[in-house]
Amino acid sequence: MYAAGVTTEPDDDEIVTWWGLVIEGYLATQDRLMGEIAERFDLAPASFDILVRLVRSPEHRLPMTRLAKEAALSSGGFTKVADRLVAADLIERVPSSEDRRVTYACLTEHGLDVASKARQTCADILRERVLTPLGNRSSEELAEAMRTLRTVNGAAAE
């Protein structure tokens, strides 16, 4: 607690409660966001994540192994998601002309259209569900705090 300029360390219950609120707030927001994306675009969270990563990448393509790693999917899990995206004409697998060991996941024209619209919808929902209640400054501070935690606790820190 904080009283008259004196700061004390949070007790065990308080810090555990803070973290619980972070988790609960994230889950409630993510569930609402992904529910709306699924309803509007028929995209599961992993498919949406992959499309957003591709739409933001140069030439709308990434090596499949890198994409699987960035999306935190196992090789088998990524293959299943990629197969569904290929079947829906959202991505295509393109072998590298420079390295035969590399296959790219590339957005199709249809995939680029869907990914662009889904990304815009995501931004609109986040403006409503995060930016409006928190404001610009708190939203930016939240993002910076999460970036710090990712850096300190992420796989690269191990």
Side-chain angles (χ1 to χ4, degrees):
M1 293 291 187
Y2 308 100
V6 177
T7 18
T8 60
E9 290 292 317
D11 66 25
D12 293 350
D13 286 337
E14 192 171 21
I15 196 164
V16 169
T17 297
W18 288 350
W19 188 247
L21 288 168
V22 169
I23 299 295
E24 290 169 9
Y26 165 77
L27 289 174
T29 305
Q30 184 71 353
D31 286 350
R32 190 61 129 340
L33 174 67
M34 289 297 101
E36 290 187 40
I37 294 295
E39 183 179 305
R40 295 182 194 184
F41 298 95
D42 194 28
L43 291 172
S47 296
F48 172 72
D49 182 39
I50 288 166
L51 293 181
V52 168
R53 289 176 190 280
L54 289 171
V55 79
R56 296 173 59 188
S57 298
E59 301 178 44
H60 308 299
R61 71 180 195 159
L62 284 170
M64 292 188 61
T65 53
R66 177 177 165 193
L67 191 52
K69 183 178 179 183
E70 286 183 7
L73 292 169
S74 67
S75 176
F78 178 76
T79 298
K80 288 178 185 177
V81 174
D83 287 346
R84 285 193 293 268
L85 292 172
V86 168
D89 189 35
L90 296 170
I91 69 168
E92 59 185 345
R93 292 178 172 99
V94 177
S96 170
S97 58
E98 294 94 35
D99 186 342
R100 64 186 182 139
R101 296 169 296 175
V102 175
T103 300
Y104 290 98
C106 302
L107 288 175
T108 62
E109 265 189 57
H110 175 62
L112 179 58
D113 181 55
V114 170
S116 297
K117 288 176 180 172
R119 180 176 167 222
Q120 181 61 57
T121 298
C122 178
D124 293 343
I125 295 166
L126 289 171
R127 280 185 186 87
E128 176 188 346
R129 301 274 172 200
V130 177
L131 200 57
T132 297
L134 295 181
N136 289 354
R137 183 173 178 195
S138 291
S139 296
E140 186 176 351
E141 288 171 349
L142 176 61
E144 286 303 315
M146 292 297 107
R147 178 178 283 123
T148 298
L149 291 177
R150 181 184 69 188
T151 300
V152 170
N153 298 306
E158 293 174 353

